[in-house]
Amino acid sequence: MVSNRIVPQVLEDCGKKGVKVVSIFTSGFSEIQTEEGRALEAKVKEIAERSGIILVGPNCMGLYNSKIGLNFIGVDLALHEGKVAFISQSGGLAQNSTVTGRRYGVEILKAVSCGNSALYEPADFLDFFKNDEEINLIAMYVEGAKDGRKLLKSLQEANRKKPVIIWKAGKTAEGTRTVGTHTGVLTGAANVWEAAMKQTKVAKADNFLDLIYTTMTFALESLKGYNLGILSISGGQSVEYTDTLSTTGLGIPILSDETQREIESILPEVGVNTRNPLDMAASWSQPGMVRKVLKAISKDRDINGIVVSIDAHREKTIELIEKDRIKKLTNAIIEARNSTNTPVFVILTATAVEEIALNIFDDFIKAKIPVYRDPAMAANCIRKLADYWTWRESQN
Amino acid sequence: MVSNRIVPQVLEDCGKKGVKVVSIFTSGFSEIQTEEGRALEAKVKEIAERSGIILVGPNCMGLYNSKIGLNFIGVDLALHEGKVAFISQSGGLAQNSTVTGRRYGVEILKAVSCGNSALYEPADFLDFFKNDEEINLIAMYVEGAKDGRKLLKSLQEANRKKPVIIWKAGKTAEGTRTVGTHTGVLTGAANVWEAAMKQTKVAKADNFLDLIYTTMTFALESLKGYNLGILSISGGQSVEYTDTLSTTGLGIPILSDETQREIESILPEVGVNTRNPLDMAASWSQPGMVRKVLKAISKDRDINGIVVSIDAHREKTIELIEKDRIKKLTNAIIEARNSTNTPVFVILTATAVEEIALNIFDDFIKAKIPVYRDPAMAANCIRKLADYWTWRESQN
């Protein structure tokens, strides 16, 4: 590592040696908001342009590519088949996302932390990933843009080819004050950003957790339509999830007569409400029935996706009677999902047995089924997914 | 257990024997929405009134009191010093809340599941808990009210004495359709409920998770004012939390010169931003410094509460160098909290090491410090807490 004042000389040397790509980790450039810092960044930019060097940064973590072993500092390299790209103006966040993402089904294949963006800013990387065939989903953390029009155009073009998810930080006056000292970019008015995201139809995330869950949802599923079936063990939870999902504009339509008749033939209980949401009550304890009912709902032509609710505490109680109950239930849901084209989303409610919920969570992620701990988060993510894919369909 | 048709006879017998309180678990009354069901409920009501029996239900889980060993079916009895009362129109939810609550710092001392409320509805239990000196917080799950005016009046009176939190289910047309078959009460128009809650200043929850977190927040803390300090290790997280908290209307004011000077004297690094939010960077690795800085912020006269952000993955990394690092950090925060009157709220960000986050979560709950997994949830809960206590102050 070298000090900021030595960086121009090292870059000159790189140019002479014919180095093609340079990523500068060193800070002390435009982000320190002094004349010296800005002059130093201008100099670095000039050298890179003159020498034909592809420059990333300065003040950044640089590039990550899990396939070729290119890594950020302090991150274990992943081995997976992910197709997600991540563009970040924050280095810490780029690291965090690659690591945290794995636990949440977000397999980042390529990431870039672009810091002060002396030469290339997020829009440039977006243009690149747009045409990268190894990538089918792009997530971004942006604090601001040097050239707003360029970013708007890049977003529009990229989002038509593959989903783009943006978390824009520095939305409030207080947040903006904080961004200023971080990467030295202009944040731009919040309403301009809101408008740009609306216009380009990119999915919007409001914070890190939202970014992770939204990216998980888009990485694991697509959803062409707004109508959902709800399957649970309890009447109370049916009401809760119906409320929460409907509030975001998703629909819980009454199932077709044909589907209702099929469900009646599966469930032995008299008087079960087969309309939607479906409260399976005691029949829930039989995984085979859960699988059959799920398949029946998935065939309903008015249903685009299914939300399944699981309460780890109840499952633990059933497990007292039936060994491996939880594994059997999880497998039944995974089997039903894999035998149809209808997406399944799992909501794991808050519970006293959080350790068990965590195991269930991991099992669904492993099976590439989106799983949530908060129904409101699930509703928002599923709505964004439906928005994107119905819009994409309408473009053909 | 007896069938619904036998219930009137059993109730008559209870009256003759001089039984004072009866809770009816049996279903098959007004909630089945038949003439027979409604007639049966009217009969049961008439017998109870005539015999002077305090009747809970029918179609309910009845009463819970952890102190005297009165329990719901299928729930382990808790042993704790809780002061929370819970009133629920759903039996399953009453069970769930008593059990799940414990993991989230919500110690329910007394609960009632009132089902169809033939004789006593939620407003009556609210009137009771309002004057119960063992109770200092009331949480409610309601699907609807028979007498809206009465509920409004009870809410108004109770909330002036102790915080009341309401989760109203059946807010959307779809949710209402589902409620109808559950407890047979009228849900009422969503906007009427919204207006009632606004007018009575009760805290509103939108779903089970929100109810649990809001109740936790009110059970563990009070907050008189809207201004927060933010303490974290990372610049990115500072921006995120500043944005999220400000969005709900909370303030992140610049610290006083005096506080900033004190923080400068604690932190050895040059050029640390001491204004607020505070990004402690490398100094975060020293729990003693975290404790001192927390105490310095808590003394600032413009600060009403402090939000501390923890990333379990970073903590795990620091623990590779320093043994028991996580315990030391947790203890430093708990010590700082206990030595001042300023509330502390912890946000545990999404992480790859969820098991470690779970341990940290439990430790803060044990120390009675509110802790969240989602900054948006934290922001909403803290805002509700500040709304309530600043309103209560204004009433004196």
Side-chain angles (χ1 to χ4, degrees):
Chain A
M1 270 193 244
V2 297
S3 128
N4 57 347
R5 279 164 220 193
I6 316 295
V7 168
Q9 187 51 52
V10 176
L11 202 60
E12 287 282 10
D13 293 348
C14 288
K16 280 175 200 151
K17 287 268 184 192
V19 172
K20 282 182 185 155
V21 184
V22 171
S23 159
I24 304 177
F25 179 66
T26 309
S27 60
F29 294 85
S30 67
E31 88 284 359
I32 54 169
Q33 301 180 346
T34 65
E35 209 167 305
E36 199 207 340
R38 277 186 280 265
L40 215 52
E41 188 158 312
K43 199 168 178 184
V44 158
K45 185 185 173 195
E46 181 273 319
I47 298 166
E49 279 176 327
R50 171 163 44 80
S51 321
I53 291 171
I54 296 172
L55 178 69
V56 184
N59 182 30
C60 80
M61 287 282 175
L63 304 165
Y64 172 92
N65 184 328
S66 74
K67 207 173 170 187
I68 62 166
L70 185 63
N71 204 357
F72 293 139
I73 297 164
V75 170
D76 307 323
L77 208 63
L79 290 170
H80 56 62
E81 298 295 313
K83 285 173 173 281
V84 181
F86 188 61
I87 303 167
S88 175
Q89 266 172 326
S90 155
L93 199 83
Q95 285 183 317
N96 250 2
S97 303
T98 51
V99 177
T100 308
R102 291 169 207 161
R103 187 74 183 246
Y104 286 79
V106 177
E107 299 185 343
I108 293 173
L109 180 66
K110 300 175 185 177
V112 55
S113 141
C114 50
N116 296 8
S117 300
L119 208 54
Y120 296 109
E121 58 172 328
D124 299 302
F125 295 105
L126 197 55
D127 289 342
F128 172 78
F129 286 127
K130 176 184 73 185
N131 298 315
D132 183 339
E133 284 181 9
E134 290 185 314
I135 294 300
N136 63 10
L137 173 61
I138 304 165
M140 298 176 79
Y141 168 81
V142 291
E143 297 189 341
K146 290 183 177 176
D147 185 340
R149 262 173 225 284
K150 184 172 145 189
L151 179 63
L152 197 67
K153 189 167 166 282
S154 299
L155 282 175
Q156 204 146 34
E157 287 176 8
N159 201 42
R160 273 188 198 137
K161 298 186 79 174
K162 46 192 90 169
V164 176
I165 298 157
I166 290 199
W167 169 22
K168 162 72 176 77
K171 271 179 292 220
T172 58
E174 291 82 355
T176 302
R177 191 183 78 210
T178 313
V179 157
T181 56
H182 188 222
T183 48
V185 294
L186 294 170
T187 54
N191 53 356
V192 174
W193 277 92
E194 290 283 330
M197 288 190 250
K198 214 165 179 177
Q199 191 186 327
T200 53
K201 307 279 181 198
V202 300
K204 194 170 74 79
D206 283 329
N207 55 51
F208 180 60
L209 192 72
D210 191 11
L211 182 75
I212 289 287
Y213 271 109
T214 307
T215 311
M216 172 231 269
T217 308
F218 278 82
L220 303 184
E221 280 299 358
S222 60
L223 179 65
K224 289 163 188 169
Y226 292 89
N227 285 338
L228 301 173
I230 298 181
L231 190 64
S232 81
I233 186 182
S234 120
Q237 232 146 57
S238 299
V239 177
E240 176 185 356
Y241 294 169
T242 303
D243 260 352
T244 308
L245 293 161
S246 318
T247 302
T248 65
L250 294 159
I252 318 296
I254 293 173
L255 298 175
S256 72
D257 290 346
E258 202 187 331
T259 310
Q260 292 200 47
R261 271 196 306 275
E262 190 176 339
I263 294 169
E264 271 163 24
S265 77
I266 299 166
L267 296 178
E269 289 164 277
V270 182
V272 156
N273 177 358
T274 54
R275 301 202 302 170
N276 192 26
L278 244 91
D279 155 15
M280 281 187 63
S283 301
W284 181 263
S285 64
Q286 300 192 46
M289 280 189 196
V290 174
R291 191 183 65 241
K292 281 180 195 161
V293 171
L294 257 176
K295 284 174 88 163
I297 303 173
S298 75
K299 282 186 289 181
D300 192 301
R301 65 179 186 286
D302 290 334
I303 292 294
N304 309 111
I306 304 171
V307 169
V308 180
S309 131
I310 298 181
D311 180 334
H313 190 262
R314 277 185 212 253
E315 294 310 318
K316 192 192 145 205
T317 310
I318 306 175
E319 191 142 286
L320 294 175
I321 307 160
E322 195 187 340
K323 209 174 150 267
D324 295 330
R325 151 71 188 174
I326 295 171
K327 277 275 170 225
K328 282 179 197 163
L329 176 74
T330 322
N331 287 342
I333 296 167
I334 294 168
E335 273 171 50
R337 168 63 190 99
N338 291 340
S339 68
T340 75
N341 285 320
T342 309
V344 168
F345 307 88
V346 175
I347 302 178
L348 269 168
T349 193
T351 177
V353 290
E354 286 290 332
E355 299 78 7
I356 297 177
L358 199 55
N359 286 339
I360 300 175
F361 188 96
D362 291 346
D363 283 345
F364 281 112
I365 290 294
K366 215 178 290 163
K368 304 207 178 290
I369 291 178
V371 49
Y372 309 84
R373 298 305 317 274
D374 177 349
M377 178 67 88
N380 283 325
C381 289
I382 297 169
R383 168 71 204 243
K384 287 185 250 187
L385 190 68
D387 277 343
Y388 181 79
W389 286 108
T390 44
W391 168 74
R392 268 288 290 271
E393 287 258 279
S394 76
Q395 300 292 297
N396 298 332
Chain B
M1 269 192 246
V2 298
S3 130
N4 56 347
R5 280 164 222 193
I6 314 295
V7 168
Q9 188 50 55
V10 176
L11 203 58
E12 288 281 13
D13 294 347
C14 288
K16 281 175 201 153
K17 286 268 183 193
V19 172
K20 284 183 182 150
V21 184
V22 171
S23 158
I24 304 176
F25 179 64
T26 309
S27 60
F29 294 86
S30 67
E31 88 285 359
I32 55 170
Q33 301 181 348
T34 66
E35 211 168 304
E36 197 208 342
R38 276 185 281 264
L40 216 51
E41 188 158 313
K43 200 169 178 185
V44 156
K45 187 185 169 191
E46 182 272 318
I47 299 168
E49 279 176 329
R50 170 163 45 80
S51 320
I53 291 172
I54 296 172
L55 178 70
V56 184
N59 183 29
C60 79
M61 287 282 175
L63 304 165
Y64 173 93
N65 183 329
S66 76
K67 210 174 169 185
I68 63 166
L70 185 63
N71 204 359
F72 293 138
I73 297 165
V75 169
D76 307 322
L77 208 63
L79 292 168
H80 56 59
E81 299 294 313
K83 287 173 172 281
V84 181
F86 188 60
I87 304 167
S88 175
Q89 266 171 328
S90 155
L93 199 82
Q95 286 182 316
N96 249 3
S97 302
T98 52
V99 177
T100 308
R102 293 170 205 160
R103 188 72 183 247
Y104 286 79
V106 177
E107 298 185 345
I108 292 173
L109 179 67
K110 300 174 186 177
V112 54
S113 141
C114 50
N116 297 7
S117 301
L119 209 54
Y120 297 109
E121 60 172 328
D124 300 301
F125 296 104
L126 197 54
D127 290 341
F128 173 78
F129 287 129
K130 176 185 73 185
N131 299 315
D132 184 340
E133 284 182 9
E134 291 186 314
I135 294 300
N136 63 10
L137 174 62
I138 304 164
M140 300 177 77
Y141 168 81
V142 291
E143 297 188 342
K146 290 185 176 175
D147 185 341
R149 263 173 227 284
K150 184 172 143 188
L151 180 64
L152 198 67
K153 188 168 164 280
S154 299
L155 282 175
Q156 204 145 32
E157 286 176 9
N159 201 41
R160 272 187 199 137
K161 296 185 79 175
K162 46 193 89 171
V164 177
I165 298 157
I166 291 200
W167 169 23
K168 163 72 176 75
K171 272 179 293 218
T172 57
E174 292 81 356
T176 303
R177 193 183 79 211
T178 312
V179 157
T181 56
H182 188 222
T183 48
V185 295
L186 294 170
T187 54
N191 53 357
V192 174
W193 276 91
E194 289 282 331
M197 288 191 251
K198 215 166 178 176
Q199 192 188 323
T200 54
K201 308 280 181 198
V202 300
K204 193 170 72 79
D206 284 329
N207 55 51
F208 181 59
L209 192 71
D210 193 9
L211 181 74
I212 288 287
Y213 271 109
T214 306
T215 311
M216 172 230 270
T217 308
F218 278 81
L220 304 184
E221 281 298 358
S222 60
L223 179 65
K224 289 163 187 168
Y226 292 89
N227 285 339
L228 301 173
I230 298 179
L231 189 64
S232 81
I233 186 181
S234 119
Q237 234 147 56
S238 299
V239 176
E240 176 185 357
Y241 294 169
T242 302
D243 259 353
T244 307
L245 293 161
S246 319
T247 300
T248 65
L250 293 160
I252 318 296
I254 292 172
L255 298 175
S256 72
D257 290 346
E258 202 187 332
T259 310
Q260 291 200 46
R261 270 196 306 273
E262 190 177 339
I263 295 169
E264 272 164 25
S265 78
I266 299 165
L267 297 178
E269 289 163 277
V270 183
V272 157
N273 177 359
T274 54
R275 302 203 300 170
N276 192 26
L278 243 91
D279 154 15
M280 281 187 62
S283 302
W284 181 263
S285 65
Q286 301 194 45
M289 277 186 197
V290 174
R291 192 183 65 239
K292 282 180 195 161
V293 171
L294 257 176
K295 284 175 87 164
I297 302 173
S298 75
K299 282 186 287 179
D300 192 301
R301 65 179 187 287
D302 291 335
I303 292 294
N304 308 112
I306 305 170
V307 169
V308 180
S309 130
I310 298 181
D311 179 336
H313 190 261
R314 276 185 213 253
E315 295 309 318
K316 191 192 147 205
T317 311
I318 306 177
E319 190 142 289
L320 293 176
I321 306 160
E322 195 187 339
K323 210 174 150 267
D324 295 329
R325 149 72 187 173
I326 294 172
K327 277 277 170 222
K328 281 179 198 164
L329 177 73
T330 321
N331 287 340
I333 295 167
I334 294 167
E335 274 171 48
R337 168 63 190 97
N338 291 340
S339 68
T340 75
N341 285 318
T342 308
V344 168
F345 307 88
V346 175
I347 302 177
L348 270 168
T349 194
T351 176
V353 289
E354 287 289 332
E355 298 79 7
I356 296 178
L358 200 53
N359 287 338
I360 300 176
F361 188 95
D362 290 346
D363 283 345
F364 280 113
I365 290 294
K366 214 177 292 163
K368 304 206 176 292
I369 291 176
V371 49
Y372 308 86
R373 297 306 316 276
D374 177 350
M377 179 67 87
N380 283 325
C381 289
I382 297 169
R383 169 67 204 245
K384 287 185 251 189
L385 190 68
D387 276 343
Y388 181 79
W389 286 108
T390 44
W391 169 74
R392 268 287 290 270
E393 286 262 282
S394 76
Q395 299 293 297
N396 299 332

